[in-house]
Amino acid sequence: MPPSTFATKYSSIIYSYPGSVLVITTVIFTLLPTLLLIQRSLHLSNNPEKGFDTRDTEYSGPRLAWQQLQTPLQHGNRVVVETKVREKRSWADDLVQSFSLVPCYEAPIPAMDFLSQFVIELKSYESIYSTAILKQLCQMHSNLSESIGSFDQVTPYRNILHVANYFSCFAPNFRVNCSYLEPSDLSAVRKDVEFCLQHRPDIVECGSECFKNPNCVACNRVPANCSSVMMFDLFYRILPWDLHAQPFYLNSFLPMFSLSGYRSQGFNVPVQNFTRLERDLVTYTSESSSLKFKGVSMDIKRDLLLESAISDSRLALIAAIVVFGFVGIATQSPLYCVAVLWQLGSSVVCALIVYSFFSSDFPLLNLVIFVLLLAIGSDDAFLMHYSFPSREIPLNVETLAESLAHASTTMFLTSFSTAVPFFVNILSNVLVFRSFGLFAGATLVFNYLMLITFLPAFLVFQRRHIRPFTDRLCSLQIDCSAFSSYVVDQLLSSVIISGRYVWLTSLLIVTLSAGYITAKDLSLPRYNPLQLFIDSNPHEWYDNNAEKNFRFVANKVALPLHARLVWGMNAVKERSHFDPDEITEVTHDDGFQITNLTDMTELAANLRRIRNLPFVDHTERYWPERFLEWSSGVPCSSTEPVVTCQVRFSLTSTWTTVCAYQPPNSSPTTTTLQSTTTLHLPL
């Protein structure tokens, strides 16, 4: 089928003015977008959870409204003070410091579950009584003293709570330091520990569930020599629940809280302090043949994601080198590889400019498009090159038009079939999927435009001006076309055709294996609410396995759920379809008014129904119920309003007043209320 008139005219322009087309496309698709991108404010989001919330759903508006109300409603009275390093004044400071280094304690450590932790892998339960292993654990603190010391101003603790320190406290001679443990001490400690192991369920139940009930039956069954807080912590927090497991996992506590714990209290602790401590931990355990570092809990993996994503971009660079190396060998033109790379980079820059007009926040998920573009762009570049007239075929308008007609149609189908599914994601209720769909689709559109403008012009320019110059420049003529044709057209084809049964059988085996693995083993993380790295990552290993091995983790994450219902506020709406920060301010709902006793009674009845639900079962009455009971006995004046309730709290830049009063000259049964009503539901 001969090319159309439009294709012929378009090919004539590229054939006649290849240099001009190259300059124009470079200015339009590269220089101008680059200059605009410098002026635009576009930043890579370092929060992996940002944007995964939904918009335009039934519950998204109330949820966004609650996010704005949460800070003023839950604002505390904590005063943040500046901490300064205090210089030691005398020997008394050294004496106090020496007492603080004693790892033994008799009262529960406050918020112990929220200290940073790490897990060591041993061969078996017997290993914890090895003097060599205990000595290595005991020496850990001195090797980590510098990195631990960076937390001295934000933690009251000074010791690593590991099994060696517990054994030193259990020793009959009360060793104040685990370095003084002797084989006779370990023999006595093991005898006591294994005696108490028989009562482990009662010890754990007494320490974790009966602390509010001094007459708990489980506590009465615990022997006196097993009732210490440290023995409870050893069985509950340090040792795994299955003592016969191999390998044997041993938990330990570091003398500082996790990063999220500090942030929740207003302390700005640098993430680098945690990463340095983790690095020193890995270094120390790697030098030991007995201690294997498995997991760590510092709540810093969200802060490490951006750095890791940028570091992993090297893998994309390696893939690009391999792909473009193959392109260079197959096309015998290093300049063509540079042109393809320029085309792909220009496509990304153009897509970034389009994206910046919709949102300044660039999610990490958008980085995936670079790998996809590398695959799609290189395929289309191969197609364009092999559709272009070879040296044996004269290059003119007709042959160029025929080549472009074939290549542009095929590339349009592949690009269109890929871009449309991406653009469909713009309709998603999840912001990250919207952003990814916009950026990925725009990238493929600009990539196609560059494919049908920049690349053909470059091939014509190379054929007409560059190749004759390089042929004259090279004194040694090495014709690689025969070798390339042999490899691609004969050898590769022969391997594929001759081994077709092997390839089909292998593909079938891979497909069946993948299907089996998908059906049997592929699932969402059961214990890990947000997995960002591979399973072997220490942070992910802890989140995936700690709850299975240590009983206290299950109770730590099983926190009671509290629902908070707020009336009197409008749902928040989004101002931008892509920017997560572009939302409206929360405002009063003028339709929420309680103007008479009937409205108040109806609200109280609804609250009574909610708190009596089986999964709520809240016995205490909420304020409308208490208000009705209280106000029924309040005498009403006919001349002065009786103010029955007045509460004021800060909401962004305005003040919201909750005021229930009885207007003058009104009947005692009339109450007017226009307010924001808040209640807690412990689920």
Side-chain angles (χ1 to χ4, degrees):
M1 181 178 179
S4 63
T5 305
F6 174 78
T8 303
K9 292 182 178 180
Y10 180 73
S11 302
S12 177
I13 295 174
I14 293 180
Y15 178 79
S16 303
Y17 311 102
S20 301
V21 174
L22 285 176
V23 172
I24 293 173
T25 53
T26 300
V27 171
I28 295 177
F29 293 107
T30 307
L31 297 182
L32 289 179
T34 302
L35 294 176
L36 289 174
L37 189 60
I38 295 175
Q39 303 297 324
R40 305 292 297 178
S41 175
L42 194 66
H43 58 273
L44 190 64
S45 175
N46 60 354
N47 184 358
E49 296 174 298
K50 187 176 182 179
F52 277 96
D53 53 343
T54 57
R55 300 291 169 88
D56 294 334
T57 63
E58 180 181 358
Y59 302 105
S60 61
R63 176 180 49 78
L64 292 173
W66 165 248
Q67 289 179 357
Q68 295 187 24
L69 292 170
Q70 185 176 9
T71 300
L73 290 179
Q74 294 184 338
H75 184 68
N77 59 353
R78 182 184 181 278
V79 179
V80 180
V81 296
E82 181 181 0
T83 57
K84 298 182 179 179
V85 178
R86 180 176 64 88
E87 297 181 358
K88 293 185 177 181
R89 296 186 300 270
S90 65
W91 60 269
D93 292 289
D94 295 326
L95 180 61
V96 173
Q97 180 73 6
S98 65
F99 281 116
S100 67
L101 292 176
V102 177
C104 306
Y105 55 92
E106 297 181 358
I109 296 178
M112 183 177 181
D113 292 346
F114 300 95
L115 292 173
S116 295
Q117 304 157 41
F118 66 95
V119 177
I120 296 295
E121 178 185 304
L122 304 176
K123 291 183 179 180
S124 64
Y125 168 73
E126 297 292 329
S127 301
I128 66 174
Y129 299 105
S130 168
T131 54
I133 292 178
L134 293 178
K135 183 178 180 180
Q136 292 176 17
L137 287 173
C138 193
Q139 294 174 348
M140 181 180 292
H141 190 282
S142 59
N143 285 270
L144 304 178
S145 58
E146 183 177 352
S147 53
I148 291 177
S150 61
F151 295 90
D152 283 349
Q153 302 303 315
V154 291
T155 179
Y157 309 117
R158 294 294 181 268
N159 292 285
I160 300 177
L161 299 176
H162 46 60
V163 69
N165 279 334
Y166 280 85
F167 284 179
S168 67
C169 296
F170 295 154
N173 296 322
F174 189 70
R175 306 294 186 182
V176 296
N177 192 297
C178 55
S179 60
Y180 296 106
L181 282 173
E182 298 179 356
S184 58
D185 296 322
L186 294 180
S187 178
V189 168
R190 180 168 187 172
K191 182 179 179 181
D192 292 341
V193 169
E194 293 188 346
F195 169 77
C196 294
L197 273 176
Q198 305 173 34
H199 306 276
R200 186 180 189 182
D202 291 331
I203 294 174
V204 171
E205 182 181 354
C206 176
S208 61
E209 300 180 10
C210 299
F211 55 91
K212 293 183 179 180
N213 182 12
N215 299 320
C216 182
V217 177
C219 295
N220 296 331
R221 293 196 296 261
V222 176
N225 59 337
C226 302
S227 60
S228 66
V229 174
M230 292 196 70
M231 187 65 74
F232 162 73
D233 285 339
L234 176 70
F235 290 151
Y236 187 57
R237 295 183 169 93
I238 303 299
L239 299 179
W241 193 252
D242 184 7
L243 298 180
H244 302 287
Q246 292 184 359
F248 187 83
Y249 298 118
L250 196 63
N251 192 40
S252 301
F253 289 82
L254 293 165
M256 74 286 299
F257 293 100
S258 62
L259 180 62
S260 60
Y262 283 119
R263 286 178 174 173
S264 66
Q265 297 301 315
F267 288 99
N268 185 21
V269 180
V271 180
Q272 291 77 10
N273 290 0
F274 289 94
T275 56
R276 182 174 60 176
L277 176 58
E278 180 185 354
R279 183 174 61 251
D280 292 345
L281 264 172
V282 173
T283 302
Y284 179 76
T285 54
S286 63
E287 296 172 352
S288 170
S289 59
S290 304
L291 305 179
K292 184 177 180 181
F293 184 76
K294 290 297 293 184
V296 64
S297 174
M298 295 178 175
D299 287 343
I300 62 173
K301 67 179 184 180
R302 293 171 177 84
D303 301 86
L304 300 178
L305 180 62
L306 178 59
E307 179 183 351
S308 300
I310 296 176
S311 177
D312 288 346
S313 62
R314 293 175 297 181
L315 301 177
L317 180 61
I318 295 174
I321 293 174
V322 173
V323 170
F324 286 112
F326 186 75
V327 171
I329 294 174
T331 61
Q332 305 175 40
S333 175
L335 286 178
Y336 186 69
C337 293
V338 176
V340 174
L341 181 61
W342 185 275
Q343 164 219 325
L344 297 179
S346 300
S347 303
V348 172
V349 173
C350 291
L352 286 173
I353 282 298
V354 173
Y355 182 86
S356 67
F357 285 100
F358 294 92
S359 175
S360 61
D361 193 79
F362 194 77
L364 292 175
L365 183 63
N366 288 1
L367 298 177
V368 177
I369 191 57
F370 297 137
V371 179
L372 298 177
L373 181 63
L374 182 64
I376 298 172
S378 59
D379 289 344
D380 291 338
F382 273 119
L383 179 60
M384 174 59 71
H385 185 272
Y386 282 101
S387 298
F388 193 76
S390 61
R391 288 190 176 187
E392 293 76 15
I393 301 175
L395 179 61
N396 50 47
V397 176
E398 289 75 17
T399 56
L400 180 61
E402 183 179 355
S403 170
L404 286 180
H406 170 70
S408 60
T409 303
T410 305
M411 291 186 300
F412 175 79
L413 293 176
T414 57
S415 300
F416 179 80
S417 61
T418 308
V420 168
F422 285 142
F423 279 128
V424 169
N425 282 314
I426 295 177
L427 304 178
S428 172
N429 289 324
V430 182
L431 280 174
V432 167
F433 296 159
R434 293 179 185 176
S435 301
F436 177 72
L438 173 65
F439 179 67
T443 302
L444 293 180
V445 169
F446 285 111
N447 178 65
Y448 177 74
L449 294 177
M450 291 285 286
L451 281 170
I452 62 175
T453 56
F454 178 80
L455 273 191
F458 175 81
L459 288 172
V460 173
F461 189 85
Q462 177 182 246
R463 176 78 169 269
R464 186 180 300 171
H465 302 288
I466 299 178
R467 183 152 291 172
F469 174 75
T470 55
D471 291 343
R472 291 194 303 268
L473 186 64
C474 296
S475 57
L476 179 61
Q477 296 289 335
I478 301 178
D479 188 8
C480 298
S481 59
F483 175 75
S484 177
S485 300
Y486 171 75
V487 172
V488 176
D489 299 334
Q490 299 182 30
L491 182 60
L492 185 60
S493 301
S494 176
V495 170
I496 294 176
I497 295 175
S498 301
R500 58 187 180 275
Y501 298 111
V502 176
W503 304 127
L504 290 175
T505 304
S506 302
L507 180 61
L508 179 61
I509 294 174
V510 170
T511 303
L512 294 177
S513 301
Y516 174 78
I517 294 174
T518 301
K520 185 177 183 298
D521 298 327
L522 187 63
S523 62
L524 293 174
R526 180 179 178 183
Y527 299 98
N528 191 351
L530 180 66
Q531 181 161 348
L532 303 176
F533 304 101
I534 59 176
D535 290 341
S536 59
N537 181 277
H539 300 274
E540 301 296 358
W541 189 96
Y542 185 92
D543 290 343
N544 286 323
N545 296 277
E547 188 174 348
K548 295 184 293 184
N549 290 279
F550 304 101
R551 184 66 60 89
F552 82 96
V553 178
N555 294 336
K556 171 186 173 182
V557 299
L559 299 175
L561 298 178
H562 294 275
R564 198 164 188 177
L565 307 181
V566 181
W567 284 273
M569 292 294 176
N570 288 315
V572 170
K573 299 179 181 179
E574 61 178 1
R575 293 175 178 172
S576 171
H577 194 69
F578 299 96
D579 196 332
D581 299 323
E582 288 293 327
I583 55 177
T584 61
E585 296 290 338
V586 63
T587 57
H588 286 284
D589 181 9
D590 296 332
F592 178 77
Q593 294 186 11
I594 299 179
T595 57
N596 51 56
L597 187 61
T598 302
D599 294 339
M600 178 68 77
T601 305
E602 183 179 354
L603 177 60
N606 287 330
L607 296 179
R608 188 182 305 110
R609 178 182 57 83
I610 292 175
R611 68 180 179 85
N612 288 330
L613 291 173
F615 59 88
V616 177
D617 193 22
H618 188 62
T619 56
E620 296 182 5
R621 293 170 298 172
Y622 293 116
W623 73 264
E625 302 172 80
R626 299 196 304 270
F627 172 80
L628 289 175
E629 181 181 358
W630 169 77
S631 61
S632 62
V634 176
C636 298
S637 172
S638 59
T639 58
E640 297 292 336
V642 179
V643 179
T644 59
C645 170
Q646 186 167 355
V647 180
R648 189 171 68 171
F649 63 87
S650 175
L651 177 63
T652 62
S653 60
T654 62
W655 289 94
T656 300
T657 301
V658 180
C659 182
Y661 65 93
Q662 182 175 332
N665 304 320
S666 61
S667 63
T669 59
T670 302
T671 302
T672 301
L673 178 65
Q674 183 175 359
S675 67
T676 300
T677 306
T678 306
L679 64 93
H680 295 272
L681 296 179
L683 302 181

